[in-house]
Amino acid sequence: MVEPKHPVRTVDRSFEIIEIVQELDGAGVSEISERVDIGKSSVHNHLNTLVNREYLSKEGDEYHIGISFLGLGAYARNRTEIYDDARQEIDKLADETGELANLLIERNKMGVYLYQTEGENAVELDTYEGKQVGLHCTGLGKAILAFRPREEVENILDTRGMEPLTEQTITDRERFFDELDEIRSHKYAFDREERLTGLCCVAAPITNANDRSVGAISVACPIHRISDERFYEELPDSVLGTANVIELKHNYS
Amino acid sequence: MVEPKHPVRTVDRSFEIIEIVQELDGAGVSEISERVDIGKSSVHNHLNTLVNREYLSKEGDEYHIGISFLGLGAYARNRTEIYDDARQEIDKLADETGELANLLIERNKMGVYLYQTEGENAVELDTYEGKQVGLHCTGLGKAILAFRPREEVENILDTRGMEPLTEQTITDRERFFDELDEIRSHKYAFDREERLTGLCCVAAPITNANDRSVGAISVACPIHRISDERFYEELPDSVLGTANVIELKHNYS
DNA sequence: ACCCAATATTCGGTTATCGCGAACGCCCCC
DNA sequence: GGGGGCGTTCGCGATAACCGAATATTGGGT
């Protein structure tokens, strides 16, 4: 997390370009050149170097993210502790509930969606595998933080802040810790429009033998389509059950 | 596919380092330095620049592939024509057959595994999402090539060669084209230990409205566990059925 | 069919910076 | 407690990354 003493600027520039290509959903030389404030010729060299290595693809005059990143990404995901143990169970959870089921882990003080499966009636969302979100504003993130030492949570909030994404996002630190206490006692967390207006979810942590969270799972659904009973009883049951199975797999095999 | 006139060497070096970190499944400075033939100090600067951008992670004295690549990889996968249409059907196929079901596309004259799901009795394999393989040596690859113009296939074979991976890999070009004819007439392909000894699979192309393949799906299983009837009749039925559903989704929605 | 504008691409000179090698510091293992 | 193998820091010199202008290419409008 420490700034390198001698950063390789050229590499920084290249990844900046890659990230811009993703953000813009494909872009040409001139457009990128303006954005990164590097001359067109230089941008051109970067782009072609990356195309040559197949990390970008060139489609007409637009450059796009190449499929080679998938190999690296899937590899990184497989290296995580819980992906393999959780995957099938998430599928089942989505199947049972008909909703969108998710798996999130913490990495570098951020939440990273590792996997998601859409049930029959799943909402269409802005989440995708690999997407990073602040830990303070999702049920998943709260579930993870509830099973981390307070000082670690403080440290995460200090670094990443508590930017509100909706009117419901918790921004008061003391209230946030109260909520974590609550979550710790039930072993599941609710999210009522804290990250996205209209969206609610029920999440549960996956903890290891030392009662430290290694990730969290959730079911998400539109708030206007769900009864109180389902939200406060059925879904927590399903999510807790699934979390339990994953924990068993993870800790005793 | 053309060598850039003015490659950005520093970027090349960085990606070489990244690829070595993946190959070695995590590595330290010295080990990498020897492999890429760049001084330790320089490798160190590259590594820390990448860690800073969270594309690598540092675990003790070992550097590892970072989860950030997953965002780029998943993004690239979602941009493909058929991933979204195929995913659920592949799941069903794995469920029905109990075996390992795969989705492959062609990119840059190579086969890229986009998705795979393990059924109940699935073999453990060396494939993972994002993995690239030669198109000539898998059932999936042959299914794709069977529905491409001959000159395009020639071009692919010229570029990527026909390196044999097992004793069964087809290396004779005329025999290969005969096989493609055969595949074209049935709309499915067999692979009997052509890529991996002991492994067989049944594959079918996904074609678009112009009868050009946009990908292929398959079921893979160990050759010693399967009866002739299942291999030559049941599995082709399932695979063809699934391919058909995917084609409908893809072409008419 | 033509032209014009916008974009991608090429090329040579300049200077930032990348990589080297030596020195330092650290930790583990003998 | 010492030695060998690491990772890390630092300053110098050569390299190659960047810039800007010139050239090629593409597409759209009349």
Side-chain angles (χ1 to χ4, degrees):
Chain A
M1 197 62 67
V2 84
E3 287 283 314
K5 284 286 171 215
H6 297 282
V8 184
R9 291 191 213 285
T10 309
V11 174
D12 272 324
R13 284 188 269 258
S14 241
F15 275 99
E16 254 171 63
I17 290 173
I18 290 168
E19 284 164 15
I20 285 173
V21 168
Q22 183 186 20
E23 265 175 46
L24 297 179
D25 208 54
V29 177
S30 303
E31 197 174 2
I32 297 169
S33 170
E34 282 173 29
R35 277 264 197 147
V36 293
D37 206 46
I38 294 176
K40 282 200 298 180
S41 59
S42 198
V43 169
H44 177 257
N45 291 148
H46 276 268
L47 290 169
N48 282 294
T49 305
L50 292 165
V51 168
N52 184 244
R53 284 205 160 261
E54 300 181 7
Y55 287 104
L56 292 181
S57 71
K58 186 174 182 177
E59 303 171 15
D61 273 352
E62 281 205 338
Y63 292 83
H64 285 275
I65 300 297
I67 202 79
S68 296
F69 285 116
L70 184 58
L72 291 168
Y75 168 86
R77 177 164 68 175
N78 278 311
R79 264 186 35 83
T80 61
E81 277 190 84
I82 45 167
Y83 173 65
D84 223 41
D85 293 328
R87 195 184 147 167
Q88 287 187 6
E89 303 306 321
I90 302 273
D91 285 347
K92 282 187 208 161
L93 182 61
D95 212 44
E96 274 171 36
T97 60
E99 307 289 354
L100 180 70
N102 302 283
L103 169 65
L104 189 93
I105 61 166
E106 178 266 328
R107 197 61 31 126
N108 276 115
K109 305 179 184 176
M110 291 289 282
V112 183
Y113 284 93
L114 267 201
Y115 187 65
Q116 61 179 32
T117 304
E118 295 155 21
E120 202 84 42
N121 312 308
V123 280
E124 294 277 335
L125 233 53
D126 65 334
T127 54
Y128 53 91
E129 292 168 354
K131 168 147 181 160
Q132 307 210 4
V133 293
L135 286 162
H136 69 290
C137 63
T138 71
L140 289 157
K142 291 190 295 181
I144 288 178
L145 294 182
F147 291 81
R148 295 288 173 95
R150 174 154 182 150
E151 59 178 17
E152 184 180 345
V153 179
E154 297 268 20
N155 183 247
I156 288 172
L157 297 180
D158 287 346
T159 312
R160 301 293 186 181
M162 297 184 69
E163 196 202 348
L165 296 188
T166 70
E167 290 171 6
Q168 302 305 319
T169 308
I170 304 175
T171 53
D172 178 70
R173 207 174 271 223
E174 271 323 303
R175 210 188 120 213
F176 190 75
F177 278 103
D178 289 347
E179 173 110 6
L180 294 191
D181 287 340
E182 180 83 8
I183 291 166
R184 207 171 302 117
S185 71
H186 292 103
K187 246 205 144 177
Y188 57 80
F190 294 118
D191 166 359
R192 272 156 298 188
E193 306 188 289
E194 290 167 33
R195 187 176 81 77
L196 213 61
T197 304
L199 186 79
C200 61
C201 72
V202 179
I206 312 294
T207 56
N208 66 14
N210 304 319
D211 216 35
R212 177 188 166 84
S213 60
V214 296
I217 62 171
S218 79
V219 162
C221 55
I223 201 160
H224 62 266
R225 203 188 63 199
I226 190 167
S227 68
D228 273 11
E229 193 196 336
R230 192 159 138 76
F231 185 61
Y232 289 109
E233 293 179 22
E234 278 178 42
L235 288 187
D237 263 12
S238 301
V239 173
L240 267 182
T242 302
N244 214 307
V245 173
I246 297 173
E247 281 178 5
L248 287 174
K249 273 205 212 180
H250 180 250
N251 294 321
Y252 301 102
S253 63
Chain B
M1 197 61 64
V2 87
E3 287 283 313
K5 283 288 172 219
H6 298 282
V8 185
R9 290 191 214 285
T10 308
V11 174
D12 272 324
R13 284 189 267 259
S14 242
F15 275 100
E16 255 171 61
I17 289 172
I18 290 168
E19 285 164 14
I20 284 173
V21 167
Q22 183 185 21
E23 266 176 45
L24 297 180
D25 206 51
V29 178
S30 302
E31 197 174 1
I32 297 168
S33 170
E34 283 173 28
R35 277 265 199 148
V36 293
D37 206 47
I38 294 176
K40 283 198 299 178
S41 60
S42 198
V43 169
H44 177 257
N45 289 334
H46 276 269
L47 290 169
N48 281 296
T49 305
L50 292 165
V51 168
N52 184 244
R53 286 206 160 260
E54 299 180 9
Y55 286 104
L56 292 182
S57 71
K58 186 175 181 177
E59 303 172 14
D61 273 353
E62 282 205 336
Y63 292 84
H64 284 274
I65 300 298
I67 202 79
S68 295
F69 285 116
L70 185 58
L72 292 167
Y75 168 86
R77 177 164 67 176
N78 277 311
R79 266 184 34 81
T80 61
E81 277 189 85
I82 45 166
Y83 172 67
D84 224 41
D85 292 329
R87 197 187 144 164
Q88 286 187 9
E89 302 306 321
I90 301 275
D91 285 346
K92 280 188 208 161
L93 181 60
D95 212 43
E96 275 172 34
T97 61
E99 308 288 353
L100 180 72
N102 302 284
L103 171 65
L104 190 95
I105 61 165
E106 178 266 327
R107 195 66 25 127
N108 275 118
K109 305 181 184 176
M110 292 288 283
V112 183
Y113 284 92
L114 265 202
Y115 187 64
Q116 61 179 32
T117 303
E118 296 156 20
E120 201 86 41
N121 312 307
V123 280
E124 293 278 335
L125 233 54
D126 64 332
T127 54
Y128 52 92
E129 291 169 355
K131 168 146 181 159
Q132 307 210 4
V133 291
L135 286 162
H136 68 291
C137 62
T138 72
L140 288 157
K142 290 190 296 182
I144 289 178
L145 294 182
F147 290 81
R148 295 288 172 95
R150 172 153 185 149
E151 59 179 17
E152 184 180 344
V153 179
E154 298 268 18
N155 185 247
I156 288 174
L157 297 180
D158 287 346
T159 312
R160 300 294 187 180
M162 298 184 70
E163 196 203 347
L165 296 187
T166 71
E167 290 171 7
Q168 302 304 320
T169 309
I170 303 175
T171 52
D172 178 72
R173 205 174 272 222
E174 271 323 305
R175 210 188 119 213
F176 190 76
F177 278 103
D178 289 347
E179 173 110 6
L180 294 191
D181 287 340
E182 180 82 7
I183 293 167
R184 206 170 303 115
S185 70
H186 293 102
K187 246 205 144 173
Y188 57 80
F190 293 118
D191 166 359
R192 272 156 299 189
E193 306 189 288
E194 289 167 33
R195 186 176 80 78
L196 211 61
T197 305
L199 186 82
C200 61
C201 74
V202 179
I206 312 294
T207 56
N208 66 14
N210 304 319
D211 215 33
R212 177 187 166 84
S213 59
V214 295
I217 62 171
S218 78
V219 162
C221 55
I223 200 161
H224 62 265
R225 203 188 65 200
I226 192 168
S227 68
D228 272 13
E229 193 195 335
R230 192 159 138 75
F231 186 62
Y232 289 108
E233 293 179 22
E234 279 179 41
L235 288 186
D237 262 12
S238 301
V239 174
L240 267 182
T242 302
N244 214 308
V245 174
I246 297 173
E247 280 177 7
L248 287 174
K249 273 205 211 178
H250 180 251
N251 295 322
Y252 300 102
S253 63

